Amino acid sequence: MRMETQGKVITCRAAVAWGAGEALVMEDVKVDPPQRLEVRLRILFTSICHTDLSAWKGENEAQQAYPRILGHEAAGIVESVGEGVEDMKAGDHVLPIFTGECGDCRVCKRDGANLCERFRVDPMKKVMVGDGKTRFFTSKDNKPIYHFLNTSTFSEYTVIDSACVVKVDPRFPLEKMSLLSCGVSTGVGAAWNVADIQPGSTVAIFGLGAVGLAVAEGARAKGASKIIGIDVNPDKFSLGREVGISEFINPKESDKTVHERVMEITEGGVEYSFECAGRIEALREAFLSTNSGVGVTVLLGVHASPQLLPIHPMELFQGRSITASVFGGFKPKTQLPLLFTQCLQGQLNLDLFISHQLPFSDINEAMQLLHQGKALRCLLRL
């Protein structure tokens, strides 16, 4: 770690978004030192998830603020810490997490809740919590560059609130651990924490991207008896088999609706369904695929605004329920360390989620691979 940089402005490379749908521009930016309760990280690995893709495409106008540095799935090393940071130091291996944990608010103190009142995920947030200012500036004219999802990891250095940073045992390979800062934790946690899948139960997963496959990996680990995968891309089915999916449905290849096919396969519907596609039609089918009496639907997909739930209130009286999951229900600082250990012990297979590896300079190619459905996670090395 370059100790001479601590307390000073750092100039580094970042992929800057200058407008909705425009190619990210690799350029020099200035990164200020961390302020009180903030941490400056050297990002070593980052990847792109559909939330980044949605923001890049500008699908929600309220989120648009330019110039901006996107990115939130990553791993790195602490370069320096601000005043008051006591749980990490320069040189620590860490994950930036898009939804934080202060440990003091009523949400953090409550079991089963993980949306911290002060540092919860907020797609509209573009500045730091402490002083309402940005830590990024253009190198040429010193104009502000806005933050994204508490993290902004498409930069060699970034400044993050310490509540949104989790230490990682240095024995763990950071390139794999980076997946746990969003996609894999979101899917596995939805199966374990939110749905609380029981052994012998049946599961349907709509959308077999990285999050959907992570749900399947979590369901397999919990002893689900049957996992059904639904996707319009049959190329994903081979990976699905590796995580325990035994039945596949391609909506384009059936005259029946998906929920009718699921009902036939399970003789009455699954106990748990997961919507990971970000499509209202898929959410409706996921809900109707569950068993009338005990069915639970978990929403994970990122939906463009404005959208309303495609459910009549009276349908909830049929014994089906619906909920949503943010970061798999994990409290990042207190619960992720156990997940790290479980991965190190081989309970989860992280290797299959890394479909491509590219240098950071090829970030626009990585964006296109995900956009075209050709990648699960494209690991970018900074």
Side-chain angles (χ1 to χ4, degrees), residues 17-70:
W18 287 91
E22 297 180 11
L24 302 180
V25 179
M26 195 67 66
E27 58 186 277
D28 287 341
V29 301
K30 295 178 181 178
V31 185
D32 276 355
Q35 301 302 306
R36 178 173 171 77
L37 298 179
E38 296 175 358
V39 181
R40 187 161 63 184
L41 307 184
R42 171 70 170 99
I43 299 297
L44 300 180
F45 303 95
T46 191
S47 53
I48 301 162
C49 94
H50 282 278
T51 305
D52 301 311
L53 195 62
S54 175
W56 169 68
K57 292 190 293 185
E59 291 182 342
N60 188 335
E61 292 184 4
Q63 296 181 24
Q64 297 182 28
Y66 303 105
R68 197 171 201 178
I69 296 177
L70 304 176

Side-chain angles (χ1 to χ4, degrees), residues 19 34 52 118 122 129 135 156 178 186 200-201 204 211 214 221 229 231 261 278 291 319 334 345 348 367 372 377:
D52 301 311
R118 192 174 186 202
D122 181 2
V129 170
R135 302 289 179 262
E156 291 177 327
S178 65
T186 295
S201 57
V211 172
D231 203 290
R261 290 285 293 115
N291 179 271
T334 55
Q345 294 171 344
L348 299 173
M367 278 281 195
Q372 296 165 6
R377 281 297 185 268

Side-chain angles (χ1 to χ4, degrees), residues 29 74 85 113 138-139 157 191 201 246 266 281 287 306 311 327 342 353:
V29 301
V85 177
T138 58
S139 179
Y157 287 87
S201 57
S246 58
T266 59
E281 300 85 356
F287 179 76
I311 297 168
F327 197 52
Q342 291 169 319
F353 293 95

Side-chain angles (χ1 to χ4, degrees), residues 181-200:
S181 65
C182 181
V184 173
S185 296
T186 295
V188 169
W192 291 1
N193 304 325
V194 181
D196 189 20
I197 289 176
Q198 299 299 303

Side-chain angles (χ1 to χ4, degrees), residues 204 206 230 257-260 262-263 270 273-291 296-300 303 307-318 320-322:
F206 289 71
I230 300 98
T257 63
V258 173
H259 78 266
E260 288 174 332
V262 172
M263 288 290 174
V270 294
S273 71
F274 298 83
E275 190 282 307
C276 308
R279 298 181 60 84
I280 285 295
E281 300 85 356
L283 178 57
R284 176 69 180 167
E285 288 296 302
F287 179 76
L288 294 177
S289 295
T290 59
N291 179 271
V296 176
T297 297
V298 181
L299 167 63
L300 293 96
H303 290 254
Q307 296 281 2
L308 298 177
L309 284 175
I311 297 168
H312 192 285
M314 296 305 295
E315 290 181 305
L316 298 174
F317 287 94
Q318 297 174 359
R320 296 183 173 109
S321 63
I322 185 169

Side-chain angles (χ1 to χ4, degrees), residues 119-162:
F119 297 102
R120 68 174 58 188
V121 57
D122 181 2
M124 314 304 173
K125 179 177 169 237
K126 58 184 182 179
V127 293
M128 299 301 293
V129 170
D131 59 6
K133 297 179 181 179
T134 180
R135 302 289 179 262
F136 297 110
F137 298 89
T138 58
S139 179
K140 292 181 179 179
D141 48 17
N142 214 43
K143 291 185 178 180
I145 301 174
Y146 297 114
H147 296 248
F148 177 68
L149 285 186
N150 291 325
T151 48
S152 292
T153 62
F154 292 170
S155 174
E156 291 177 327
Y157 287 87
T158 187
V159 176
I160 303 176
D161 292 297
S162 62

